[in-house]
Amino acid sequence: MRRHWRILCFLMMLSLALVSLVGCGIPMEKSAVASHLTVKMLDVGQGDAILIRTSDETILIDTGDTDEAAKLKAALDKEGVKTIDKLIITHPHRDHLGGSAMVFQNYAVKAVYDNGQPTTPKFYRDYLKTIKVKNIPYKTLRDGDRLDFGGGVSFTILSPTEEMVQEGGREADGKINLNLNSLVGRLAYGNFAMMFTGDAEKPTEQALLKRHPAGDLRCQVLKAGHHGSKTSSGLAFLKAVQPEVALISCGAGNSYRHPHASVRRSYEKQRIDFYRTDVNGTITVESDGQTYRVTPERGVKNSNKGN
Ligand SMILES: [Zn+2]
């Protein structure tokens, strides 16, 4: 009789253990699938186009150059994009805004955000006209604004301020430089964060550091400002953000010599791995909110090819 009890107890404990194992396993698997973030720095030559997908939304930051619109369309179609929930334009230069006409023509854009910095070229006037004609919700973003990308992913704007836009991106010598007012934003998803910089340059970085404590800027991944130009990625900014990886969007054999050798050296010195679209093609960052993974389309990290 006692032996039977022992067997019965053993079977009961075994079944409890099995139930708890199965009970733990299912929800973990579900949450890993439901909450996922993918950021793709698309290879669109000399320009920026970054596709972000959360479990709820598709977001496009910048649209590459007018001449590279076919490349952008091929990349978006390959990803199966039909709707863009949020189109964000960091600043109205052609290598960021030029592909917007193609985007409006081929995809359902639900909302547009930019820095509200006006400029004169036709592609910019056409862009504003299309937003109006298609009646697309449109909002300008400022330091402190926050967008919800869905799926637990947020995007906090760090620059520009209203005052900066009013000044129109003025350099110390009085020249206008639209790069200075690029939208800078920090994407956060659980323990993962990524800094988006557009073509922000060192004066933008320095002003941003004065307004925001370094603790609010830390990110594992940095989108290199201004295609890896020496105008950007200042040491103080790198030390505040403390990225482990930098992603550089630049065209093969570009005449600007991006990414600049001094920036690559600076990354190496700060132990920041880097990938570049001219060598690595489209670069994919994936995160589950805990860890992250960077996968280049081809090649390896830290290529010092060229320049
Ligand atoms: Zn640019």
Side-chain angles (χ1 to χ4, degrees):
M1 192 65 183
R2 206 186 282 163
R3 200 163 155 233
H4 282 154
W5 268 112
R6 266 193 214 148
I7 292 169
L8 200 65
C9 274
F10 174 74
L11 284 174
M12 275 172 70
M13 280 167 76
L14 187 70
S15 58
L16 269 173
L18 276 172
V19 163
S20 65
L21 264 178
V22 170
C24 282
I26 291 172
M28 268 177 75
E29 199 179 320
K30 256 188 185 168
S31 69
V33 171
S35 51
H36 195 77
L37 167 72
T38 306
V39 179
K40 280 181 184 272
M41 180 178 266
L42 304 172
D43 177 15
V44 289
Q46 186 66 18
D48 272 9
I50 303 166
L51 182 67
I52 300 170
R53 303 192 99 170
T54 71
S55 56
D56 294 340
E57 291 196 0
T58 297
I59 301 105
L60 183 65
I61 300 186
D62 289 335
T63 60
D65 206 320
T66 320
D67 305 339
E68 307 284 4
K71 243 186 205 173
L72 176 62
K73 184 172 186 300
L76 294 176
D77 289 348
K78 192 178 160 197
E79 295 300 321
V81 173
K82 302 261 184 275
T83 298
I84 293 165
D85 296 285
K86 292 181 173 75
L87 172 64
I88 300 172
I89 302 295
T90 61
H91 65 299
H93 271 157
R94 215 181 74 153
D95 60 325
H96 297 255
L97 178 62
S100 61
M102 181 284 293
V103 169
F104 287 132
Q105 213 165 25
N106 292 282
Y107 307 93
V109 178
K110 288 189 173 172
V112 180
Y113 302 84
D114 67 20
N115 67 358
Q117 181 78 70
T119 184
T120 49
K122 189 174 181 299
F123 64 80
Y124 176 72
R125 286 179 280 129
D126 287 347
Y127 153 82
L128 286 186
K129 211 186 285 170
T130 307
I131 291 169
K132 215 170 170 185
V133 168
K134 289 191 172 241
N135 205 18
I136 302 170
Y138 167 67
K139 190 179 182 300
T140 55
L141 297 172
R142 291 287 173 267
D143 180 15
D145 285 344
R146 196 186 175 111
L147 296 179
D148 182 1
F149 284 176
V153 180
S154 67
F155 190 68
T156 305
I157 305 302
L158 303 168
S159 192
T161 61
E162 179 60 31
E163 196 187 356
M164 287 164 74
V165 176
Q166 290 304 323
E167 283 171 5
R170 206 163 288 276
E171 300 258 24
D173 62 5
K175 269 190 212 139
I176 292 290
N177 178 359
L178 293 179
N179 286 347
L180 298 183
N181 285 343
S182 284
L183 284 175
V184 178
R186 183 178 182 271
L187 176 150
Y189 177 41
N191 293 329
F192 174 77
M194 177 167 172
M195 184 70 75
F196 292 80
T197 54
D199 281 355
E201 299 188 10
K202 284 172 187 171
T204 318
E205 296 172 357
Q206 281 152 11
L208 192 153
L209 290 174
K210 279 186 197 151
R211 293 194 308 273
H212 297 277
D216 292 353
L217 304 177
R218 300 236 164 94
C219 291
Q220 289 95 332
V221 181
L222 165 71
K223 190 224 85 104
H226 198 195
H227 318 283
S229 163
K230 64 178 175 180
T231 58
S232 310
S233 293
L235 189 59
F237 186 64
L238 294 183
K239 283 191 167 172
V241 178
Q242 294 182 13
E244 295 163 347
V245 181
L247 310 185
I248 305 164
S249 181
C250 60
N254 69 81
S255 57
Y256 308 99
R257 297 162 68 93
H258 296 156
H260 199 270
S262 67
V263 171
R264 294 188 317 240
R265 270 199 304 276
S266 183
Y267 287 165
E268 279 163 1
K269 221 169 162 189
Q270 298 301 313
R271 296 172 188 276
I272 302 165
D273 285 331
F274 60 89
Y275 294 87
R276 41 196 285 193
T277 54
D278 61 337
V279 172
N280 300 116
T282 288
I283 304 152
T284 304
V285 181
E286 291 164 286
S287 177
D288 59 1
Q290 294 297 321
T291 57
Y292 71 100
R293 175 169 69 175
V294 183
T295 316
E297 190 182 344
R298 56 177 183 268
V300 292
K301 63 188 180 187
N302 305 344
S303 168
N304 272 317
K305 190 191 127 194
N307 299 335

